[in-house]
Amino acid sequence: MSTSIDDLLSFDEEPAGEARDGRGGWLRGLLRALAVTAAIVVVVVVGLRAIGLQVSLWIIVAGVLAVLAVRRVTAALSPPPPPRAGGRAPVGEEPGTWNWGTRDALRSAINRWQVPLDWSTSRPERFTKVILPRIGELADERLRQKHGVTRESDPARARALLGEPLWTFLATPARRTPSPRNLAAIVAELEKL
């Protein structure tokens, strides 16, 4: 018996739709629907009898079948689920429109800072309670990553590394919200670490 390389590397695809949509698939679906209907009817009848109500069995069966039919129709008409967030974007030309519904990590990061900064413009105590600790955490993280210290673990070295203006800004609560220019200067000092 001899076979060629083409015979080894080729295969005939079996249509998957025909196997499922055959007589066995249709009958199996009908039996499953009847079993689900019977189970729900039994639960409803037992529940109604437990609370002392009696309803005609045919009304309960008709109601359960109607609910199952509506469920099946709505499932068939529902739109496909959105693509997963971690999925890859299709490669190729852009369609020319921006998908505003997608989650953008940069936009999320900006919004995490923008909202508290907006709130703190009229209330300096909010700046002291919300923004200043975040800036302090950023400073500590930069110090830890670049120099192996934090403001708490080695205050003297952290003070020398941060510089007096940044140390004072982080250590003393502001009486009023700093201007955008002052905040930009603070961020620039943090980036120098």
Side-chain angles (χ1 to χ4, degrees):
M1 178 163 141
S2 68
T3 57
S4 69
I5 190 94
D6 291 330
D7 291 337
L8 293 173
L9 297 178
S10 67
F11 65 94
D12 294 328
E13 291 186 18
E14 296 179 16
E18 289 180 14
R20 287 186 191 148
D21 293 336
R23 185 172 173 91
W26 179 80
L27 185 59
R28 184 178 298 135
L30 180 65
L31 289 176
R32 181 180 297 143
L34 288 175
V36 168
T37 303
I40 293 174
V41 166
V42 167
V43 169
V44 169
V45 167
V46 168
L48 289 175
R49 296 271 165 93
I51 60 172
L53 294 176
Q54 287 188 347
V55 180
S56 172
L57 183 64
W58 295 112
I59 292 175
I60 295 173
V61 170
V64 168
L65 286 175
V67 169
L68 290 176
V70 168
R71 182 175 174 263
R72 185 169 186 141
V73 168
T74 55
L77 295 177
S78 67
R84 292 186 343 192
R88 295 181 57 97
V91 179
E93 279 191 36
E94 294 284 328
T97 59
W98 179 257
N99 186 0
W100 295 103
T102 59
R103 295 201 37 104
D104 184 11
L106 180 60
R107 168 108 19 229
S108 297
I110 289 170
N111 286 342
R112 281 196 304 267
W113 282 93
Q114 181 181 7
V115 172
L117 281 171
D118 285 343
W119 288 345
S120 66
T121 56
S122 61
R123 296 178 55 192
E125 69 274 359
R126 190 168 278 215
F127 178 84
T128 303
K129 289 180 181 177
V130 177
I131 301 297
L132 196 58
R134 287 184 183 181
I135 294 174
E137 289 173 8
L138 286 173
D140 282 338
E141 188 63 20
R142 293 289 288 213
L143 285 171
R144 186 189 65 75
Q145 286 179 349
K146 302 282 184 177
H147 305 285
V149 298
T150 62
R151 291 179 298 156
E152 189 176 297
S153 68
D154 190 358
R157 185 161 179 233
R159 187 174 196 156
L161 290 169
L162 289 172
E164 199 57 39
L166 186 55
W167 178 266
T168 306
F169 175 78
L170 293 172
T172 58
R175 292 185 187 160
R176 59 184 174 163
T177 304
S179 67
R181 182 178 302 180
N182 291 343
L183 282 176
I186 295 297
V187 169
E189 289 295 321
L190 278 174
E191 289 176 349
K192 288 180 186 177
L193 286 177

